Amino acid sequence: MNIPDTATADKTISINALKISCSACSMHQLCLPMGLEDADIDRLDKIIGKRRRLERDEPLYKMGEPFRNLYAVRFGHFKTYQINVAGEAQITGFQMAGELLGMDAISGDRHHCDAVALEDSEVCEIPFAHLEDLFGHVPTLLRHFHRIMSREITREQNVMLLLGNMRAEQRFAVFLVNLSARYAARGYSPTRFQLRMSREDIGNYLGLTIESISRLLSRFKKLGLVHVDKREVELLEPARLKAMAAGTEQCSPMA
Amino acid sequence: MNIPDTATADKTISINALKISCSACSMHQLCLPMGLEDADIDRLDKIIGKRRRLERDEPLYKMGEPFRNLYAVRFGHFKTYQINVAGEAQITGFQMAGELLGMDAISGDRHHCDAVALEDSEVCEIPFAHLEDLFGHVPTLLRHFHRIMSREITREQNVMLLLGNMRAEQRFAVFLVNLSARYAARGYSPTRFQLRMSREDIGNYLGLTIESISRLLSRFKKLGLVHVDKREVELLEPARLKAMAAGTEQCSPMA
DNA sequence: CGCCTATTTGATGTACATCAATAAAAGTGG
DNA sequence: CCACTTTTATTGATGTACATCAAATAGGCG
């Protein structure tokens, strides 16, 4: 998997250090080093473990595995899901570049869910024990880490709201608008993007079936809200979609 | 609201300090000070703000209010919920003694949901800025705080699983078994306890209607799984309830 | 090209919601 | 303490949003 650096280790240290510098990473304004001064970024760089590449469908970690690292997505997309005794899964989130994986494992010392790459992707390994050591020396980092964990809590609360009392159409609008905002924050088009996950994954995440997702897409298409070709999506009426997501507007029944 | 301590301030410091000592609190093994040495508990005590009493239905905080404190429940019960534009609520959790409220407000600096007392209750105010200061000096406390936040994340993931792909009966079994375990951890009976929340609250939390909850209770009663009188519940067959919660057993259809 | 998987679309079923009525508590004021 | 209203809970009848079942279509890829 990883290029062995046995004899050349000494020579490549500086190169590797450069290679995995957070400041050189395009995601450093969204990711863990956000808001850090250069000196502190250097300290963070020193503890960041190796990068890890994953291909489509490859697991980053599995439920029950001992917890050692958090992971920051460098590029690509992931999904996290829990499996119950019956073998059914519930997808708990989709993660993209700059987002952190594994925080649910801190309590319990074991991973609490599975994380799988949706496409060829790369992550930074962040040894959590070292990160904890660093917290004592870089309060800004600690503050930001707490914000990230807190944001994960609010994100999940929003999903609870979605699953608990939204109709299918609103759920799907929320999903699209959320993706749009996250791509926008990364400098991508908020109106044109690719769905990295299957219809089945979307349905599972939203508490719906694949057929429902398919029908919703067809309906949104017919209403001129979106343009869809395979997994390529264009939001034609972002304002109306946002209104649907907020619950202030609803489109016609199934017809 | 609070007893003003103007002239007597100096004299009462020690008494107050004693009064709000974490080590004297019956919840200290479940709450923030868990696992701390006495010296560190003292440091924590020093930053803990005043206690606050709330009566039934009184809000502890409301969505949008600036975030200053976390709150530890000393006794009583709370619910937290989000409200959407349509004015509908989604309850995101019920909190009991020893549990922490407000972590979702850390990102954003404002409360992200409402918290309301379900009965006469008391909390400890924990000024978050001071807690952050303390983190640099008490690594054990920091570690434990991360575990608490992480546990909140996994709790919410479990609710997502519940809302996303469990049938009503299983949801309700999960709910009862969860309460049972939490009361057990606090030294109360795992089989006999009072529901502190209304049927409506339960339904809202579980993504069901009040009528469904009522029917489920009646059915569980008829099946001899529980004994119910008003809000007093006795779990007559905890093992079967656990099996239902796990999804390995299901009771008969509505009949 | 042919197999395999992903997606779409239609027909039917059902778990739970909604509507409606009653009953039982809980609070309120005299 | 007792009428009174108001809230909360139960139970039944009916409706519906979405699931399930089924079949067809379309890509992806060896």
Side-chain angles (χ1 to χ4, degrees):
Chain A
M1 296 284 159
N2 301 304
I3 300 154
D5 50 307
T6 50
T8 59
D10 292 325
K11 293 185 180 177
T12 53
I13 282 174
S14 60
I15 294 170
N16 278 333
L18 185 67
K19 241 176 54 185
I20 65 168
S21 163
C22 286
S23 41
C25 176
S26 65
M27 282 301 126
H28 78 280
Q29 283 165 329
L30 283 166
C31 189
L32 207 48
M34 192 189 94
L36 290 189
E37 297 179 12
D38 290 352
D40 290 335
I41 292 194
D42 285 346
R43 306 178 81 161
L44 180 57
D45 276 338
K46 287 206 180 69
I47 68 149
I48 299 279
K50 65 176 187 295
R51 289 184 190 168
R52 193 166 144 200
R53 258 178 206 256
L54 297 100
E55 35 186 57
R56 196 170 195 277
D57 294 328
E58 193 181 336
L60 175 60
Y61 54 75
K62 305 277 274 177
M63 193 179 345
E65 282 178 10
F67 166 63
R68 305 206 194 297
N69 306 300
L70 295 176
Y71 299 95
V73 181
R74 270 183 51 80
F75 60 78
H77 286 73
F78 289 81
K79 65 176 171 186
T80 48
Y81 55 90
Q82 285 189 266
I83 299 188
N84 62 20
V85 274
E88 297 159 323
Q90 170 69 35
I91 294 176
T92 51
F94 299 110
Q95 294 80 22
M96 54 177 71
E99 294 179 339
L100 226 52
L101 281 148
M103 291 177 289
D104 52 285
I106 295 172
S107 76
D109 294 320
R110 297 190 168 274
H111 284 286
H112 182 255
C113 62
D114 289 19
V116 169
L118 290 172
E119 60 186 328
D120 293 0
S121 306
E122 190 172 287
V123 296
C124 287
E125 228 174 64
I126 306 170
F128 187 63
H130 294 169
L131 188 64
E132 282 183 308
D133 293 341
L134 201 53
F135 285 150
H137 303 106
V138 187
T140 317
L141 177 66
L142 180 59
R143 289 250 292 279
H144 188 229
F145 179 65
H146 290 160
R147 283 171 174 270
I148 291 174
M149 287 203 94
S150 174
R151 197 185 311 139
E152 176 65 12
I153 291 174
T154 62
R155 181 192 73 80
E156 291 182 359
Q157 284 175 359
N158 290 335
V159 177
M160 287 172 67
L161 180 64
L162 178 147
L163 292 173
N165 64 27
M166 289 183 192
R167 332 242 96 240
E169 153 188 314
Q170 192 180 359
R171 293 184 198 187
F172 192 55
V174 167
F175 173 74
L176 291 176
V177 169
N178 174 267
L179 282 182
S180 166
R182 284 156 77 197
Y183 286 125
R186 282 157 183 78
Y188 298 113
S189 167
T191 54
R192 291 181 63 97
F193 48 84
Q194 253 213 348
L195 299 174
R196 263 46 178 241
M197 64 297 286
S198 67
R199 308 278 196 268
E200 185 157 23
D201 283 343
I202 300 173
N204 184 301
Y205 178 61
L206 297 178
L208 301 168
T209 58
I210 180 175
E211 293 96 326
S212 291
I213 299 300
S214 194
R215 281 182 240 271
L216 283 165
L217 268 173
S218 304
R219 191 152 106 234
F220 280 23
K221 235 189 292 191
K222 211 170 286 173
L223 290 162
L225 293 169
V226 300
H227 185 262
V228 186
D229 178 34
K230 282 206 19 156
R231 292 192 172 184
E232 193 71 35
V233 173
E234 179 173 7
L235 308 188
L236 298 173
E237 298 218 45
R240 284 186 62 198
L241 281 169
K242 267 172 214 158
M244 283 177 58
T248 52
E249 182 171 340
Q250 58 181 350
C251 79
S252 57
M254 277 285 184
Chain B
M1 294 282 160
N2 300 303
I3 300 154
D5 49 305
T6 50
T8 59
D10 292 325
K11 294 186 180 177
T12 53
I13 281 173
S14 61
I15 294 170
N16 279 333
L18 185 67
K19 241 176 56 184
I20 64 167
S21 163
C22 285
S23 41
C25 177
S26 64
M27 283 300 126
H28 79 279
Q29 284 166 328
L30 283 166
C31 190
L32 207 48
M34 191 189 95
L36 290 188
E37 297 180 12
D38 290 352
D40 290 334
I41 292 194
D42 285 346
R43 306 177 82 162
L44 181 57
D45 276 337
K46 288 205 181 68
I47 68 148
I48 299 279
K50 64 176 186 296
R51 289 184 190 167
R52 193 166 145 202
R53 254 175 210 258
L54 296 102
E55 35 186 55
R56 197 170 194 276
D57 293 327
E58 193 180 336
L60 175 60
Y61 53 77
K62 305 277 274 177
M63 194 178 345
E65 283 179 10
F67 166 64
R68 305 205 193 298
N69 305 300
L70 295 176
Y71 299 95
V73 181
R74 271 183 50 80
F75 59 78
H77 286 73
F78 288 82
K79 65 175 170 186
T80 50
Y81 55 90
Q82 284 189 266
I83 299 188
N84 62 20
V85 274
E88 297 159 323
Q90 170 69 37
I91 294 176
T92 50
F94 298 110
Q95 295 79 22
M96 55 177 71
E99 295 178 339
L100 226 52
L101 281 149
M103 290 176 289
D104 52 285
I106 295 172
S107 76
D109 294 319
R110 296 189 169 273
H111 285 287
H112 182 255
C113 63
D114 288 18
V116 169
L118 291 172
E119 62 187 326
D120 294 0
S121 305
E122 192 173 286
V123 296
C124 286
E125 227 174 64
I126 307 170
F128 187 63
H130 293 169
L131 189 63
E132 283 183 307
D133 293 340
L134 201 53
F135 285 150
H137 302 105
V138 187
T140 317
L141 177 66
L142 181 59
R143 289 251 291 279
H144 188 228
F145 179 65
H146 290 160
R147 283 171 174 271
I148 290 175
M149 288 203 95
S150 173
R151 196 185 311 138
E152 177 64 11
I153 291 174
T154 62
R155 181 191 74 79
E156 291 183 359
Q157 284 176 358
N158 290 335
V159 177
M160 288 172 67
L161 180 65
L162 178 147
L163 292 173
N165 64 26
M166 290 184 191
R167 333 241 96 243
E169 154 188 314
Q170 191 180 0
R171 293 185 197 187
F172 192 56
V174 167
F175 173 75
L176 291 176
V177 168
N178 174 269
L179 282 182
S180 165
R182 284 156 77 196
Y183 286 125
R186 280 156 184 79
Y188 297 113
S189 166
T191 53
R192 291 180 63 96
F193 49 85
Q194 252 211 349
L195 299 173
R196 263 48 177 239
M197 64 297 287
S198 68
R199 307 278 196 267
E200 185 157 23
D201 283 342
I202 299 174
N204 184 301
Y205 178 61
L206 298 178
L208 302 168
T209 58
I210 180 175
E211 293 96 326
S212 291
I213 299 300
S214 195
R215 281 181 238 271
L216 283 164
L217 268 173
S218 302
R219 191 152 105 234
F220 280 22
K221 235 190 291 191
K222 211 169 286 174
L223 290 164
L225 293 169
V226 300
H227 185 264
V228 185
D229 179 33
K230 284 204 17 153
R231 293 191 171 183
E232 193 72 35
V233 173
E234 181 173 5
L235 308 188
L236 299 173
E237 298 217 45
R240 283 186 63 197
L241 282 169
K242 268 171 216 160
M244 283 178 59
T248 52
E249 181 170 341
Q250 58 182 352
C251 78
S252 56
M254 277 285 183

